[in-house]
C-alpha cells in the first residue's frame, strides 16, 4: 500500500522572501542614485541586511512524515530518522492548549516536533498509526 507524505514544512527560502530581497535591493539602489536624505539609504541598507540574514540563516519549522522516514527541523537545521528507529510518539495538549508531538528514538533521544501546534491530534495519531508507530497519548 502506497502512503503519501504527511506534514508541514516552512522555510525562509520561499518566493515571498526573494520578492522582499528584490524590493530591498531596488530600495538601496534608488536611495543612492536619487541622492535622497541621508536617513533613507541607512534604512534601505538595514532592511536589506535583515532580509539577507533571514535568507542566510534559513530558519525552518515543521516536519514531513513519509512512508519510511521522518524529517524535521531544529535550530541546527534539518534532521531525519528512519521509521524503524522510532520507538514511539507522544501526542497531547501543551500548557497553552495547542497540540504537542514528541518522538522517542531508539538511541534514547526525545525530539519535539515543531509545526504541529495547529494539527488535529486525531489526524496525527492516524498518520503515525498508519505507519505502524506506537502512539502514547
Amino acid at each position: 500500500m502506497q502512503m503519501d507524505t504527511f506534514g508541514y514544512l516552512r522555510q525562509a527560502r520561499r518566493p515571498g522572501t526573494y520578492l522582499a530581497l528584490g524590493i530591498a535591493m531596488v530600495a538601496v539602489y534608488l536611495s543612492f542614485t536619487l541622492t535622497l536624505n541621508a536617513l533613507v539609504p541607512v534604512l534601505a541598507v538595514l532592511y536589506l541586511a535583515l532580509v539577507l540574514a533571514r535568507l542566510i540563516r534559513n530558519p525552518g519549522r515543521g516536519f514531513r512524515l513519509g512512508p519510511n522516514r521522518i524529517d524535521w527541523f531544529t535550530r541546527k537545521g534539518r534532521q531525519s530518522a528512519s521509521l524503524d528507529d522510532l520507538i514511539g510518539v507522544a501526542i497531547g495538549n501543551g500548557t497553552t492548549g495547542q497540540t504537542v508531538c514528541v518522538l522517542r528514538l531508539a538511541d534514547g533521544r526525545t525530539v519535539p516536533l515543531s509545526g504541529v501546534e495547529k494539527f488535529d491530534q486525531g489526524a496525527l495519531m492516524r498518520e503515525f498509526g498508519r505507519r505502524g508507530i506506537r502512539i502514547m497519548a
Side-chain angles (χ1 to χ4, degrees):
M1 173 171 101
Q2 177 68 26
M3 287 183 232
D4 296 327
T5 59
F6 172 81
Y8 164 81
L9 288 175
R10 185 175 177 124
Q11 290 182 280
R13 291 183 183 161
R14 56 184 197 271
T17 310
Y18 286 108
L19 178 65
L21 177 64
I23 290 170
M25 292 171 67
V26 168
V28 169
Y29 173 75
L30 290 176
S31 68
F32 281 111
T33 58
L34 296 178
T35 59
L36 300 174
N37 184 347
L39 181 62
V40 175
V42 170
L43 292 174
V45 168
L46 179 64
Y47 177 64
L48 177 63
L50 290 172
V51 173
L52 282 173
R54 181 161 175 80
L55 281 170
I56 290 168
R57 282 186 297 118
N58 191 24
R61 58 183 285 114
F63 71 101
R64 180 179 293 135
L65 183 61
N68 56 6
R69 65 183 280 165
I70 184 167
D71 301 311
W72 67 91
F73 279 113
T74 65
R75 287 188 174 137
K76 297 177 182 175
R78 182 180 276 178
Q79 296 185 359
S80 64
S82 169
L83 293 184
D84 296 333
D85 293 337
L86 286 177
I87 294 173
V89 60
I91 300 172
N93 285 330
T95 57
T96 59
Q98 295 179 330
T99 303
V100 175
C101 183
V102 179
L103 303 175
R104 288 189 56 218
L105 300 173
D107 62 4
R109 292 184 297 156
T110 57
V111 179
L113 292 180
S114 64
V116 298
E117 295 83 14
K118 296 182 181 178
F119 272 110
D120 176 43
Q121 291 180 18
L124 280 173
M125 289 179 186
R126 279 190 300 277
E127 291 298 328
F128 280 104
R130 285 177 57 197
R131 290 160 176 85
I133 300 166
R134 193 175 108 202
I135 300 166
M136 298 164 275

